[in-house]
Amino acid sequence: MTLTLDLHDVKKTYRGKIPALRGVSMQVHPGEVFGLLGPNGAGKSTLVKIMMTVVKPDVVHGTMLGKPIGDKNTLRRVGYLPEHHRFPEYMTGEQVLDYFGALADVPRDVRWKRIPELLELVSMREWATTKVTQYSKGMRQRVGIAQALISDPDLVLLDEPTDGVDPEGRRDIRNVLAELKQRGKSVMVNSHILSELEMVCDRVAIMVQGQVAKQGTIQQLTEGRNQYDIELAQVPQGAIESAHAAAAERGLVPTLSGMTLSFPTSDPVLVQPVIDSLRQSGAVIKTVRQHRPTLEDLFMEAIVDEQGRKRGPGAKRAGVVGEAKPMRHEGGAR
Ligand code: ADP
């Protein structure tokens, strides 16, 4: 099966001194929703712009929809929602779709058939003849997604579709992504809002400072990483030491963070003696829960790894591509 996107060793340095991409490899499979995540400045938009031939890479190997990156004809099969897009203010939603459809060479009769369908898909049908200036940010983004679909593309690239959109609008956009997947489209979505990706993506890549730190299904990235967290309300002297000893007898090495002891196991049987030991030492247990790392945990690990690597013995300060800030995790599925 031909990969939708198969990139190897993509490099880009802006103006000879700002290293935006430092050898990126990435694979997207047909029909999947792929999430590209990373803090601002990680290089996500640069990568998408290289795929769209808007930015010229220093090095690129690989294919998009089976054709070499840079092949203009392939772009006919790709829909694109750029970040921070602006529609001409005098247009209505319907006119936006007609205009971008015409630019994409979609015949007029096909456009006129498709426009109401797409507006329906993004729940904007009743706003079709309202000027875009009257739209909320979420409505503009939804029309932006419809615009990206006007040529019935096989691959849809959405750059920060939920940026600045309120929670209700984000839920609507998530539903649209799920619908696109149903329709067999491959979707690549850039977002710095982790919960967005966690809920809709089949696979994700975590980019940090111009490199892919991790890539795979959330299942793969978190495999073997289940843990039990025991949150304590009161810890008498010696309780932690005896919990450590009880855990060690079962081959577990717990970590303590604040008042929470974490055990790297998904086996409830192994945790029971630790609970017994804690209670015998008079500790008050507040909660016990099984915990799978979230995307946020994976992301923070990737950042810490990157910073640790840079600070390693003799490491020079690498070209800094934006700040590695924690990302927003706004509720949602864990
Ligand atoms: P992201 O989409 O992950 O926020 P970008 O691809 O926008 O990251 O940016 C990656 C890096 O490249 C950043 O340091 C950014 O400042 C820089 N950069 C992006 N576009 C340009 C440009 N046109 N000229 C110079 N530097 C740029």
Side-chain angles (χ1 to χ4, degrees):
M1 188 167 40
T2 313
L3 287 167
T4 300
L5 185 68
D6 189 15
L7 292 177
H8 298 276
D9 198 30
V10 185
K11 292 185 179 145
K12 172 70 187 177
T13 298
Y14 286 106
R15 293 192 230 115
K17 55 178 192 254
I18 305 168
L21 298 176
R22 299 186 286 149
V24 166
S25 297
M26 197 171 285
Q27 282 72 40
V28 177
H29 301 110
E32 77 180 2
V33 179
F34 185 90
L36 187 53
L37 68 110
N40 288 335
K44 306 179 299 292
S45 293
T46 300
L47 190 68
V48 170
K49 285 176 187 161
I50 287 172
M51 289 157 63
M52 291 308 296
T53 73
V54 178
V55 163
K56 196 169 177 309
D58 302 332
V59 181
V60 66
H61 299 288
T63 57
M64 180 164 68
L65 296 169
K67 296 282 167 25
I69 302 292
D71 179 59
K72 298 277 185 195
N73 267 330
T74 308
L75 297 181
R76 288 177 179 278
R77 297 172 56 202
V78 182
Y80 177 40
L81 174 69
E83 61 171 349
H84 312 308
H85 67 81
R86 295 277 299 273
F87 296 129
E89 299 203 335
Y90 52 86
M91 284 187 177
T92 65
E94 193 173 66
Q95 286 166 343
V96 164
L97 295 194
D98 192 46
Y99 176 69
F100 283 95
L103 285 178
D105 252 357
V106 179
R108 178 175 296 183
D109 54 333
V110 179
R111 292 200 304 267
W112 286 3
K113 183 169 165 293
R114 223 170 256 167
I115 287 168
E117 287 169 9
L118 287 175
L119 287 172
E120 184 73 44
L121 171 71
V122 298
S123 312
M124 286 293 290
R125 188 99 186 243
E126 68 265 42
W127 296 86
T129 55
T130 306
K131 285 202 172 148
V132 293
T133 44
Q134 306 290 313
Y135 291 178
S136 68
K137 185 78 200 270
M139 290 156 84
R140 282 178 214 198
Q141 290 297 74
R142 279 187 278 149
V143 168
I145 296 175
Q147 166 278 135
L149 297 170
I150 191 72
S151 61
D152 193 25
D154 297 316
L155 169 63
V156 189
L157 304 176
L158 305 175
D159 202 345
E160 299 280 1
T162 54
D163 197 24
V165 177
D166 63 21
E168 199 187 339
R170 292 212 301 270
R171 191 202 53 212
D172 292 342
I173 291 174
R174 269 200 313 275
N175 291 341
V176 174
L177 294 185
E179 177 61 31
L180 293 182
K181 184 176 155 58
Q182 283 282 318
R183 296 182 180 197
K185 308 278 182 209
S186 305
V187 182
M188 185 164 174
V189 52
N190 286 4
S191 180
H192 65 286
I193 302 178
L194 291 158
S195 53
E196 297 300 331
L197 300 183
E198 198 150 30
M199 280 186 260
V200 293
C201 292
D202 300 301
R203 292 172 68 248
V204 295
I206 302 178
M207 278 185 73
V208 184
Q209 304 207 340
Q211 285 181 315
V212 176
K214 293 179 191 228
Q215 182 170 194
T217 62
I218 293 173
Q219 179 81 23
Q220 282 165 349
L221 296 182
T222 56
E223 199 129 272
R225 302 278 313 279
N226 283 344
Q227 62 181 44
Y228 266 99
D229 290 341
I230 303 180
E231 189 189 359
L232 301 166
Q234 268 177 41
V235 191
Q237 205 156 19
I240 297 294
E241 288 72 14
S242 37
H244 267 270
E249 276 178 34
R250 271 94 199 155
L252 296 178
V253 181
T255 51
L256 180 66
S257 163
M259 294 285 270
T260 302
L261 268 171
S262 300
F263 300 84
T265 179
S266 56
D267 185 351
V269 173
L270 294 183
V271 191
Q272 302 309 311
V274 181
I275 295 172
D276 292 344
S277 139
L278 282 166
R279 287 181 52 76
Q280 269 163 22
S281 1
V284 176
I285 294 174
K286 198 167 166 193
T287 60
V288 178
R289 73 184 180 111
Q290 213 185 7
H291 171 78
R292 175 176 72 86
T294 60
L295 264 185
E296 183 170 17
D297 297 330
L298 295 174
F299 173 78
M300 290 311 292
E301 272 174 27
I303 296 218
V304 170
D305 287 353
E306 172 70 20
Q307 286 170 346
R309 202 177 54 72
K310 275 199 294 169
R311 277 200 219 104
K316 286 199 195 108
R317 189 173 151 75
V320 175
V321 189
E323 279 175 279
K325 284 194 212 121
M327 300 198 298
R328 287 151 58 199
H329 194 298
E330 308 197 350
R334 292 220 149 206

